[in-house]
Amino acid sequence: MEKKMSSETNAINWFDISVNDIKRASKFYETILEIKTNPVEMMGMKMAMFPYDPSKGKISGALVQS
């Protein structure tokens, strides 16, 4: 059974933003978006996750130091 897209459905569900300085980028996005990022390390990569609630169906993402 194929599920139809609606105004409640997002085609994009995750994004990564590549950054050189994770601390500086986190501070920037936290300031302009008035949020708090969650620093994590995955597979040797430093990341800062944007807050999200999976039950809301909204997109989220992370800053990735590369």
Side-chain angles (χ1 to χ4, degrees):
M1 178 180 230
E2 192 172 319
K3 199 173 189 180
K4 292 186 179 186
M5 301 238 342
S6 72
S7 62
E8 300 293 316
T9 307
N10 291 306
I12 298 172
N13 62 8
W14 188 263
F15 62 88
D16 288 339
I17 299 173
S18 295
V19 300
N20 290 325
D21 185 333
I22 196 101
K23 287 182 182 180
R24 188 173 128 221
S26 292
K27 183 177 179 182
F28 172 77
Y29 284 102
E30 288 176 352
T31 301
I32 66 166
L33 299 175
E34 297 180 343
I35 59 162
K36 195 72 176 155
T37 59
N38 180 31
V40 296
E41 192 165 322
M42 285 186 178
M43 298 183 289
M45 292 184 296
K46 291 181 182 179
M47 303 175 80
M49 311 293 253
F50 287 95
Y52 73 101
D53 180 352
S55 68
K56 301 281 186 194
K58 304 293 182 183
I59 66 171
S60 189
L63 304 172
V64 182
Q65 185 168 306
S66 58

